[in-house]
Amino acid sequence: MAKRPFEGLKVIEYGEIISAPYCGRLLAGLGAEVIKVENPGSGDKARANGPFPGDVPHPEKSGLYLSLNANKMGVTLNLEKKKGKDVFKKLIETADVLVENNIRGYMDGLGLGYETLKAINPRLVMVSITPFGQTGPYKDYKAYHINSCGAGGMSIGIGDPAREPLTMPLSQGGYEAGLSAATAVLAALLARAKTGKGQFIDISEVEVWATTHAGQYVLTFLYRGVTGIRRGTHGPQVYPCEIFPCKDGYISLIAPQIEQWVRFVEVLGNPEWSKEPRYRNRRAMAEEYPDEVNALIIPWMMARTKEEILKACQDNRVPCVPIYDIKEVMNNRQIKAMNFFVELDHPEAGKLQYPKGPCLFEKTDWQWNKSAPLLGENNAQVFGERLGYSPNEIAAMKKSGVI
Amino acid sequence: MQSLEGYRLLDFGTALAGPQVGQLLADLGMEVIKIETRVKPDGLRLGRPIVGDDIAGGDDGKWLDMQPMFHVTNRNKLSFTINLKQPGAMDVFKRLVKISDVVLDNSSPGVMARLGLDQAELQKIKSDIISITLTGCGEFGPMRDTLVYAPLIIALGGLESLLGYYGDKIPMNLAPGYGDTNASMHGAFAVLAALWHREQTGEGQHVSLAESYAVTNLLGEAIMDYKMNGRVQGLQGNRHPTLCPHGNYPCQGDDKWVSIAVDTEEEWKNLCTGLGAPEWIADKRFADKNARRQHWEELDKLIAAKTAQHGAYDITDILQKVNVAATPVMNCEDQFSDPHFREREVNVEIQHPIIGTEYVYNNPMRLADMPPTIRRPAPSIGENNDYVLKDLLGYSQQEVAAMVERKIIF
């Protein structure tokens, strides 16, 4: 077996839906031991979210849950009960990382806040993911992904300027917050190797959007007074940054460099209109009459398929590609050449394909050995073998609803 | 002390995706040296700066150092100008590789190899070096040479096909460069993962990040739906698979909106009372989540009629007080002046030697004991040549002068 970079790293994940689980997934895919702690009974809320095979809800067949929790061990633990807290503290004693995305203050309220856990294990790195962070006037605001995306400055940039702004599809904010959390955890672990001490990390999903992803727009506001960045199928400043219909779907074209536009016009066959001054002012074309220019190009597009356009443009170094749907992505020749998908078998959901990971590591690549855990699948292993509770004690915990 | 102090990264990044990897790491204390040359500067250094004629007027020789877009993703970095194609330059550069930990680039597949700086060559110089290359579609395979920018990355990766109004056919453009920024955040993660591995084993390696598929990696729900049900998900609009209502609703003012999302029945009841429409609670059309989902459009219209009577901040305040998830849909002006963003310093005021006061967005990775810092503005081109050549590599003033003379340092 190839080497796994995080071999030996012990992570406790007490979080649900997307953000904390994606953080755990990034670590688990590179070899960390991730113990996912779920509430007894219903478990991670993602288990109630689809998609489900045949659209029939089943807590062990949630596509969302399955896609985020492979390679993890699963235990159930009720942290509202004293015994549950005691068991959790024992897990923390030997852990390197705790990742959680409960509402702000929930862990403190349980008596399991960072200060308490640090006293048990000073090497612990704890990351809390919340919508607005641990401080500031909105720290206790309730927010789902659409709310964080809106406050984070992304939504205002998506959609038709005459219609409502759109949120990022499929809760992207949860993934981005989890990714920032995982990256910050690694920075804290590298620091711990020198100082011997863990630390607390505060990740705000709103801030992840407002900085790394949408932060550059503050500049266009400051220097140009531009606040409305939503332009439908059009793009700003320089034509073209456009979405076009074609014979069998849609394509996306952008040509920031003048040479790229010239080459695109050549691909079109240097039509007469392209020589008129009105169609040489790329700024006006973008800001004032993009639909008019599009109308001149659409007939060429509609006569061709996505793949024909891709070839014609890319052969001439014009940045233009098809808008692939999920089926086309999964069957794409490039993604297949990269072996991007791995197949895992799950006792309830069966064989499914999962994305391997966001990049390729030459020597320590992603390894997926096991699909997502059944609810409480590893209780005996973790509580018994790992923490040393006897079968009788475990049975008693089960009876009293602790696990 | 900062978390990544002591590590050195050589940053060949240009435009957004590459440089932002270096920026995210530099904020946490890594020494990031931007490798540049005046022969072909980073595109973001070029053109007329957007800072206004009062500042940009006059000496256009300074424009290279006056680009706000360049400044945000290159703050905290040092600049070293070396023309690697000049005879003798590679010998100098190799000495720098020898004392570095990571080499970063987002050039097209094969460019680093042609420079003699791919992993195989770098390893000969420093055995445990880590290198990372960000490309649109990967470094091998039939589509590796596809020319892309951020909007095309999300088109190839599948996200764009989901981005648009529910019921429409044509997808909407995404103004922020998510195809790039998602790649850079994953790139920063990958660099640290490779460093962690090196610390455990002494082994370096190459990391290859395909920006399009870093996007696909986040579409698990749609991938599973296709595999489980053969269903190809289309434009999502503001609909959510389980939450309802779930949308951005109009408010008083020009292009002002509030986002509202409801999960539980308790939240639903609170929304009704918060909006001054307690009669909806007993309305059979909205009796439970499924009923509300069936009458989605009617419900959205009713909510919009209520929110339109309020300012976005006012209705947010009203709804948050009754424990309903609501936030203003903020634009950059809102964010810039918002009290929460101010208190948490989401945008940081810094001083730039030419522009004066400027703002850069902060880093979201808030390590409590070792927070990210903005220590210095983006470097002017070649600003740190002396530091690199004399302090790090031990060249004398005369040797440096000779390199400048021979346009190795340029």
Side-chain angles (χ1 to χ4, degrees):
Chain A
M1 192 190 279
K3 298 177 200 99
R4 308 195 302 166
F6 301 148
E7 194 86 50
L9 206 60
K10 290 185 163 64
V11 179
I12 308 297
E13 174 186 311
Y14 183 55
E16 51 186 12
I17 310 282
I18 294 173
S19 63
Y22 186 61
C23 176
R25 176 181 161 84
L26 288 165
L27 302 173
L30 295 174
E33 176 199 273
V34 178
I35 298 178
K36 183 177 178 75
V37 177
E38 297 183 73
N39 293 322
S42 52
D44 184 335
K45 269 190 187 168
R47 291 178 179 275
N49 286 17
F52 299 103
D55 295 327
V56 180
H58 185 295
E60 299 297 355
K61 296 183 185 178
S62 155
L64 181 62
Y65 182 85
L66 292 168
S67 69
L68 282 164
N69 293 293
N71 271 20
K72 298 176 189 174
M73 293 203 276
V75 300
T76 52
L77 199 54
N78 184 344
L79 298 191
E80 311 242 330
K81 297 195 181 236
K82 173 154 191 324
K83 183 71 182 174
K85 295 187 214 295
D86 291 344
V87 176
F88 189 76
K89 286 179 183 171
K90 283 187 79 167
L91 276 175
I92 291 298
E93 276 175 25
T94 55
D96 297 288
V97 178
L98 169 63
V99 50
E100 63 100 11
N101 65 341
N102 298 285
I103 60 169
R104 196 197 71 85
Y106 180 73
M107 297 301 283
D108 281 322
L110 289 176
L112 297 171
Y114 176 66
E115 292 304 318
T116 307
L117 300 180
K118 182 171 85 170
I120 298 168
N121 175 3
R123 288 173 60 79
L124 182 72
V125 171
M126 174 171 170
V127 58
S128 292
I129 307 168
T130 55
F132 279 95
Q134 302 290 316
T135 60
Y138 307 156
K139 63 180 188 284
D140 291 321
Y141 269 16
K142 178 180 269 190
Y144 296 104
H145 296 305
I146 190 173
N147 310 108
S148 295
C149 193
M154 288 295 283
S155 304
I156 201 71
I158 315 170
D160 186 328
R163 296 172 73 182
E164 73 275 16
L166 293 172
T167 192
M168 287 291 281
L170 307 187
S171 309
Q172 294 296 295
Y175 294 91
E176 294 301 334
L179 169 58
S180 289
T183 310
V185 160
L186 294 185
L189 286 172
L190 286 163
R192 189 188 72 173
K194 294 176 198 152
T195 65
K197 283 187 195 149
Q199 60 185 303
F200 179 77
I201 302 165
D202 171 13
I203 300 288
S204 150
E205 185 174 321
V206 171
E207 248 162 53
V208 169
W209 281 136
T211 58
T212 309
H213 299 287
Q216 293 208 339
Y217 285 93
V218 169
L219 298 171
T220 53
F221 163 64
L222 289 174
Y223 295 111
R224 288 187 176 152
V226 175
T227 56
I229 56 173
R230 192 160 83 257
R231 297 182 56 82
T233 61
H234 308 304
Q237 293 181 32
V238 173
Y239 188 92
C241 173
E242 298 292 318
I243 289 170
F244 286 101
C246 66
K247 199 173 186 177
D248 60 348
Y250 295 90
I251 69 112
S252 187
L253 166 71
I254 184 171
Q257 296 172 12
I258 183 65
E259 302 80 15
Q260 293 164 341
W261 171 245
V262 170
R263 290 199 296 268
F264 177 67
V265 171
E266 277 169 23
V267 170
L268 293 179
N270 287 315
E272 278 307 309
W273 59 261
S274 66
K275 289 155 198 155
E276 291 172 34
R278 185 168 174 81
Y279 305 117
R280 299 176 82 91
N281 181 347
R282 298 213 297 155
R283 182 169 291 272
M285 286 154 71
E287 305 277 352
E288 294 167 35
Y289 42 88
D291 282 317
E292 181 188 315
V293 192
N294 285 0
L296 297 165
I297 296 171
I298 284 171
W300 186 89
M301 295 284 180
M302 291 302 288
R304 287 162 180 81
T305 65
K306 284 186 268 198
E307 293 302 317
E308 285 165 357
I309 294 167
L310 174 69
K311 186 166 189 331
C313 288
Q314 292 287 340
D315 282 355
N316 290 285
R317 305 304 288 153
V318 174
C320 177
V321 303
I323 295 174
Y324 286 135
D325 66 25
I326 294 300
K327 181 182 177 182
E328 290 167 328
V329 169
M330 293 195 72
N331 294 308
N332 180 263
R333 56 193 182 280
Q334 178 67 14
I335 214 163
K336 284 191 169 168
M338 296 181 69
N339 288 318
F340 180 78
F341 290 99
V342 293
E343 188 171 87
L344 289 173
D345 202 359
H346 182 272
E348 295 282 348
K351 284 184 181 163
L352 288 166
Q353 284 179 307
Y354 297 79
K356 187 162 70 172
C359 58
L360 302 173
F361 290 88
E362 178 192 12
K363 291 183 178 151
T364 62
D365 209 18
W366 306 88
Q367 285 181 43
W368 300 101
N369 310 313
K370 185 187 157 299
S371 56
L374 302 168
L375 188 61
E377 181 178 327
N378 304 98
N379 281 356
Q381 186 186 354
V382 171
F383 300 138
E385 291 169 27
R386 188 69 55 85
L387 300 185
Y389 290 100
S390 70
N392 282 348
E393 286 173 297
I394 292 174
M397 287 195 277
K398 198 165 183 179
K399 203 171 172 192
S400 60
V402 169
I403 67 174
Chain B
M1 180 191 151
Q2 283 203 283
S3 56
L4 302 180
E5 230 169 280
Y7 293 112
R8 180 173 298 125
L9 179 147
L10 306 181
D11 181 354
F12 281 90
T14 57
L16 179 54
Q20 202 174 39
V21 177
Q23 169 241 305
L24 288 160
L25 300 171
D27 295 345
L28 296 173
M30 195 177 282
E31 184 178 275
V32 176
I33 303 176
K34 190 169 176 72
I35 308 300
E36 312 186 75
T37 170
R38 287 174 185 273
V39 176
K40 197 183 174 209
D42 186 341
L44 285 186
R45 280 197 185 273
L46 302 177
R48 188 180 184 83
I50 63 169
V51 291
D53 282 342
D54 49 333
I55 305 176
D59 181 7
D60 64 8
K62 288 184 180 165
W63 283 5
L64 286 173
D65 302 327
M66 295 175 70
Q67 309 285 352
M69 288 293 183
F70 179 86
H71 292 175
V72 277
T73 45
N74 289 286
R75 82 282 184 101
N76 284 338
K77 296 184 190 174
L78 309 174
S79 167
F80 176 47
T81 47
I82 182 164
N83 181 4
L84 292 172
K85 291 182 177 156
Q86 206 67 358
M90 199 52 90
D91 293 336
V92 178
F93 189 70
K94 283 181 176 174
R95 287 178 64 175
L96 185 56
V97 171
K98 229 176 176 45
I99 55 165
S100 297
D101 302 284
V102 184
V103 176
L104 158 74
D105 82 285
N106 62 324
S107 34
S108 304
V111 168
M112 293 303 271
R114 286 198 290 280
L115 276 174
L117 292 172
D118 58 350
Q119 180 70 18
E121 292 300 319
L122 289 168
Q123 250 168 232
K124 290 180 193 160
I125 306 163
K126 184 163 190 280
S127 61
D128 65 352
I129 196 81
I130 291 161
S131 63
I132 176 166
T133 298
L134 282 67
T135 57
C137 293
E139 293 182 78
F140 58 87
M143 288 175 68
R144 68 171 179 195
D145 292 322
T146 311
L147 183 59
V148 298
Y149 291 88
L152 309 197
I153 290 165
I154 62 170
L156 291 169
L159 183 81
E160 181 65 59
S161 75
L162 305 165
L163 193 70
Y165 293 93
Y166 186 86
D168 278 12
K169 285 187 175 157
I170 193 161
M172 292 288 127
N173 250 329
L174 172 59
Y178 185 63
D180 284 339
T181 56
N182 172 62
S184 49
M185 198 66 225
H186 276 105
F189 170 82
V191 166
L192 297 188
L195 274 173
W196 178 262
H197 176 72
R198 193 198 74 178
E199 296 295 4
Q200 313 307 310
T201 63
E203 184 178 65
Q205 64 178 316
H206 181 61
V207 184
S208 182
L209 189 146
E211 293 155 348
S212 300
Y213 309 125
V215 169
T216 311
N217 185 55
L218 308 186
L219 304 180
E221 274 175 85
I223 290 164
M224 289 288 149
D225 202 12
Y226 176 63
K227 278 292 156 191
M228 287 173 165
N229 300 313
R231 185 187 295 138
V232 178
Q233 292 200 10
L235 303 178
Q236 303 284 303
N238 282 328
R239 297 191 178 203
H240 185 275
T242 56
L243 275 57
C244 182
H246 187 268
N248 295 323
Y249 301 95
C251 295
Q252 285 173 352
D254 179 28
D255 202 23
K256 296 296 175 192
W257 308 81
V258 63
S259 67
I260 297 173
V262 164
D263 185 18
T264 64
E265 290 310 304
E266 190 191 340
E267 287 170 359
W268 164 245
K269 285 173 190 157
N270 291 341
L271 174 71
C272 297
T273 47
L275 289 178
E279 67 276 13
W280 295 351
I281 296 172
D283 192 321
K284 284 208 169 51
R285 290 174 297 170
F286 313 133
D288 59 26
K289 223 183 235 186
N290 286 335
R292 290 194 292 274
R293 286 177 60 78
Q294 275 167 26
H295 300 96
W296 199 306
E297 284 173 359
E298 286 166 77
L299 180 54
D300 271 356
K301 277 184 193 139
L302 288 171
I303 294 172
K306 293 287 183 187
T307 56
Q309 299 165 21
H310 301 269
Y313 274 81
D314 293 340
I315 192 64
T316 294
D317 190 46
I318 290 167
L319 293 178
Q320 287 288 349
K321 280 195 175 124
V322 293
N323 206 23
V324 170
T327 59
V329 176
M330 294 192 197
N331 65 25
C332 37
E333 184 178 18
D334 299 326
Q335 291 183 329
F336 192 69
S337 54
D338 186 276
H340 182 86
F341 282 57
R342 289 252 152 163
E343 183 171 326
R344 284 180 64 92
E345 288 197 293
V346 173
N347 293 293
V348 184
E349 183 182 318
I350 59 169
Q351 294 301 316
H352 185 274
I354 303 175
I355 293 175
T357 298
E358 64 173 7
Y359 292 86
V360 293
Y361 58 75
N362 210 331
N363 186 306
M365 294 184 278
R366 307 228 176 195
L367 282 67
D369 300 340
M370 303 171 180
T373 55
I374 315 288
R375 303 179 296 282
R376 54 193 307 154
S380 58
I381 191 160
E383 180 177 334
N384 310 99
N385 288 350
D386 272 0
Y387 165 77
V388 171
L389 292 168
K390 293 182 190 167
D391 298 358
L392 292 183
L393 301 180
Y395 288 108
S396 69
Q397 176 58 41
Q398 277 168 322
E399 287 169 308
V400 172
M403 288 184 226
V404 172
E405 177 76 11
R406 287 161 56 203
K407 297 257 170 112
I408 288 173
I409 301 306
F410 182 74

